[in-house]
Amino acid sequence: MRKLAVLTGGGDCPGLNAVIRAIVKKADKHGIEVIGIKDGYHGAVEGDFLPLGYQEVSGILPRGGTILGTSNRDNPFAYVDYNKDATVSVDRSDDVLAHLKAQNVDALLAIGGDGSLHIALELAHKGLNVIGIPKTIDNDLMATDQTFGFQTAVDTAQEALDRLHTTAESHHRIIILELMGRYAGWIALYAGIAGGADVILIPEIPYQFDKVAKAVDMRAQKGKKFSIFVVAEGARPLGGEMVIERQIIGRADPFKLGGIGTKLGKELEAYTKTETRVTVLGHIQRGGSPIAYDRVLATRYGVAAVEAAMEGDFGSMVALRGQDIIQVPISEAVDKLKLVPMNDPVLAAARSLGIIMGD
Ligand code: F6P
């Protein structure tokens, strides 16, 4: 093992730089060179690289985002030149292999979520040595207990809830906080509990409007004239659909969710006659410095990925299992999302507290 390439693909999340730093430092200890690929698979197709040494990773541990840049719409197997014709896609995966070969790269470390790791797996099928590293604030990747970035997003959302509590109480209002997470309710569930929400609505449990609205009445009867709702962007009413904000051409999943908070807010205000406000936390959940937990997890993933490459354990992804970092086949992590199961102990704890889950 003489040279590694690393890329960050898909939506960014706190901790990406911590992984890159760990990879470079660990590799350096073993005399392995590292190059970064710019803007995810875009740079892999176009051959856009930058050398990564001690100098480049110095001071990046606390920094949010990724020093490499990222992209969540560039797929080498269906590559679109957005400057020309956005409706035409071509297979440029051979270009990726050719660029890496020309750079004498022995293995690619792909830091990504479901979409980016799926591409990594396809490249592995074409003979490329690949190791996957699981990232996403959504925590929706199979085969790992946790992705890095998730805990930081939860922390950020919890802080927002603390702030919303004081204003909701002062004005006797309902305040709805809409959170990210795509089709999974992990961020909403954890942040809702940590932030003392009265109602938490997640995609896995379609909600019944009357049950949710009655929660406000029940609280009023107990003298609580305000309520805090946490609504995952993928939440939907029983028998209804998720709210799609827009469609994005070129993405593996073209649907960008958003808007359920506003929809529910209008309905709740009309039904309960309680003034209602909606906050959409959005990309604040993705930006900024990773908390200590994610810095440690990201660092462990980076170190383990280099070790896996040195052992020749290709086609695998580093994963957290209990307290341990293990290697699992990438194929176990992709194509099926890890949703909140109905027997999840954290969900059970929320129910035990009397938090309304909408069912
Ligand atoms: O997957 C991470 C995520 O932040 C989701 O929670 C959210 O649905 C999506 O990405 C937003 O994507 P974009 O950055 O394109 O708005």
Side-chain angles (χ1 to χ4, degrees):
M1 181 58 50
R2 300 238 284 274
K3 192 166 179 181
L4 293 168
V6 56
L7 67 74
T8 51
D12 70 341
C13 80
L16 287 168
N17 286 326
V19 182
I20 295 166
R21 171 180 174 271
I23 288 169
V24 171
K25 287 193 151 197
K26 172 74 179 166
D28 187 72
K29 264 194 169 313
H30 298 277
I32 300 169
E33 211 182 314
V34 182
I35 53 164
I37 301 175
K38 287 192 193 166
D39 300 329
Y41 289 106
H42 180 81
V45 169
E46 303 295 345
D48 202 358
F49 299 101
L50 82 162
L52 288 177
Y54 253 83
Q55 204 53 40
E56 286 74 25
V57 299
S58 172
I60 68 170
L61 178 63
R63 265 171 66 183
T66 159
I67 59 164
L68 295 176
T70 188
S71 157
N72 52 12
R73 58 177 194 177
D74 290 300
N75 179 353
F77 293 90
Y79 194 72
V80 177
D81 186 341
Y82 293 94
N83 294 322
K84 290 187 182 151
D85 188 346
T87 62
V88 178
S89 67
V90 284
D91 183 349
R92 301 243 345 238
S93 54
D94 284 340
D95 290 336
V96 175
L97 301 188
H99 288 309
L100 292 174
K101 197 168 176 212
Q103 291 284 336
N104 296 316
V105 166
D106 297 308
L108 169 68
L109 307 185
I111 312 171
D114 186 58
S116 305
L117 293 177
H118 181 95
I119 294 167
L121 184 62
E122 283 187 76
L123 290 170
H125 289 152
K126 291 194 79 157
L128 189 66
N129 293 331
V130 173
I131 309 278
I133 301 170
K135 70 89 229 189
T136 167
I137 61 163
D138 303 336
N139 197 35
D140 60 357
L141 260 186
M142 294 296 277
T144 184
D145 289 354
Q146 222 159 90
T147 52
F148 69 87
F150 166 64
Q151 293 286 358
T152 303
V154 169
D155 237 51
T156 304
Q158 172 252 300
E159 194 197 330
L161 282 166
D162 289 350
R163 292 175 187 279
L164 292 173
H165 247 102
T166 58
T167 173
E169 187 166 12
S170 305
H171 284 268
H172 316 296
R173 284 171 169 165
I174 296 170
I175 292 197
I176 297 175
L177 179 65
E178 182 181 305
L179 295 176
M180 284 184 166
R182 276 205 307 168
Y183 307 115
W186 296 109
I187 300 177
L189 178 62
Y190 276 65
I193 293 176
D198 306 301
V199 177
I200 302 174
L201 303 179
I202 60 175
E204 294 85 345
I205 307 176
Y207 67 85
Q208 297 172 46
F209 179 77
D210 53 337
K211 298 221 166 130
V212 164
K214 275 187 194 131
V216 178
D217 293 339
M218 270 159 47
R219 278 179 57 77
Q221 280 163 23
K222 288 184 193 154
K224 297 282 184 192
K225 294 197 168 17
F226 74 99
S227 294
I228 299 289
F229 281 56
V230 169
V231 181
E233 62 183 356
R236 65 187 166 96
L238 192 64
E241 300 296 327
M242 290 182 185
V243 181
I244 293 165
E245 189 204 296
R246 69 172 90 159
Q247 289 200 39
I248 300 171
I249 304 170
R251 283 231 307 234
D253 174 6
F255 303 118
K256 181 170 157 43
L257 301 173
I260 184 66
T262 304
K263 173 183 147 58
L264 180 64
K266 283 189 186 137
E267 292 166 357
L268 270 178
E269 190 169 71
Y271 183 92
T272 63
K273 309 284 180 282
T274 306
E275 224 186 331
T276 302
R277 295 288 186 270
V278 179
T279 297
V280 180
L281 200 56
H283 292 81
I284 289 174
Q285 292 158 96
R286 288 234 305 259
S289 191
I291 61 169
Y293 180 92
D294 279 332
R295 293 184 196 189
V296 174
L297 182 59
T299 298
R300 291 184 73 196
Y301 279 154
V303 168
V306 175
E307 282 168 355
M310 285 164 57
E311 284 158 16
D313 196 354
F314 301 120
S316 71
M317 180 187 87
V318 294
L320 181 69
R321 194 65 53 80
Q323 294 299 315
D324 299 323
I325 304 288
I326 59 165
Q327 266 115 256
V328 296
I330 296 178
S331 55
E332 280 183 18
V334 297
D335 296 336
K336 191 169 181 290
L337 294 178
K338 184 181 74 181
L339 303 178
V340 178
M342 288 308 102
N343 63 354
D344 183 74
V346 179
L347 174 60
R351 289 192 192 279
S352 300
L353 288 187
I355 296 174
I356 304 296
M357 298 300 303
D359 55 348

